[in-house]
Each structure stands twice: as structure tokens, then as C-alpha cells.
Amino acid sequence: QVQLVESGGGLVQAGGSLRLSCAASGSTFSISGMGWYRQTPGKQRELVATISNDGTTNYADSAKGRFAISRDSAKNTVNLQMNSLKSEDTAVYYCNAWRIGQFYRNNYWGQGTQVTVSS
């Protein structure tokens, strides 16, 4: 099992920046990659950014050019630097870790951290 704890959410004005962090514990040796998703009321959880063990990153179109994901494998942390924030970035942000085996994929989630961008 993998446990994830997020930090760094809060209230920020439009155009500002926030940095989210996520610390993983437990069976971290089995993690294949980590990332961030977000969700607003009444909508499905959506991808923000992911980073695999080989360093490959993937961003939602809405995050490209504004957000940057990074990972410290030695510390089992993943960070999301969010710049030029917009009101539409307001959401609960969830840290994700995944583990891929030959016949399975396991997903692990943090409890979420609220990001509110005021216009």
C-alpha cells in the first residue's frame, strides 16, 4: 500500500502562484509514477499533470505553460508549481500514485487539498 499526503493548497489571487507538495509513504519502491488531478463539484476528476519514473511528463492542455510537475524520488515527493493561476483553476487537487504490473494497475490517492483562486 501507498499513502499520500498533500500540502500547499490555499487561497490566492488570480495571476498568483501556489506550490503543491505530496509525500508518499509505505510501499513507495513499487510506484511507477505520480501526478496531480483536480475536481470541482459536479464534475469528474481530471488530469492536471503526471510524471513517470523515467521522468516523462504529461500535462493537461489547461496546465501547459503555467504548471510544472517535479519529483524527488529519493524523498518520495511530487510537487506541482502553479503559476499564472486563473479562477477556473479553483478545485480540490488530488495527489495520485500508480503502480503497474504485468496484469494490473493500482491507483492510490491522497485526501485532496483545496485551491481557490479569487478573481
Side-chain angles (χ1 to χ4, degrees):
Q1 292 293 319
V2 174
Q3 293 78 45
L4 303 171
V5 178
E6 302 104 334
S7 61
L11 174 65
V12 64
Q13 288 188 333
S17 299
L18 275 177
R19 182 178 177 86
L20 304 182
S21 295
C22 173
S25 61
S27 301
T28 57
F29 63 90
S30 64
I31 292 175
S32 303
M34 299 182 72
W36 291 91
Y37 289 71
R38 67 188 184 188
Q39 189 171 22
T40 55
K43 293 188 177 182
Q44 287 189 331
R45 193 170 296 186
E46 63 178 13
L47 167 76
V48 178
T50 61
I51 183 166
S52 301
N53 282 358
D54 64 1
T56 301
T57 57
N58 181 40
Y59 291 91
D61 287 343
S62 59
K64 290 178 181 176
R66 299 189 300 127
F67 295 1
I69 191 169
S70 61
R71 186 174 170 196
D72 186 334
S73 297
K75 297 181 179 179
N76 295 314
T77 59
V78 64
N79 302 302
L80 184 68
Q81 178 66 42
M82 303 186 293
N83 300 322
S84 303
L85 283 162
K86 306 174 182 179
S87 57
E88 51 262 45
D89 295 317
T90 295
V92 177
Y93 283 70
Y94 294 91
C95 180
N96 167 259
W98 72 87
R99 180 175 64 182
I100 295 178
Q102 185 174 5
F103 301 108
Y104 66 89
R105 175 180 172 127
N106 294 137
N107 273 303
Y108 303 94
W109 297 95
Q111 80 284 358
T113 185
Q114 177 70 46
V115 171
T116 302
V117 183
S118 63
S119 56

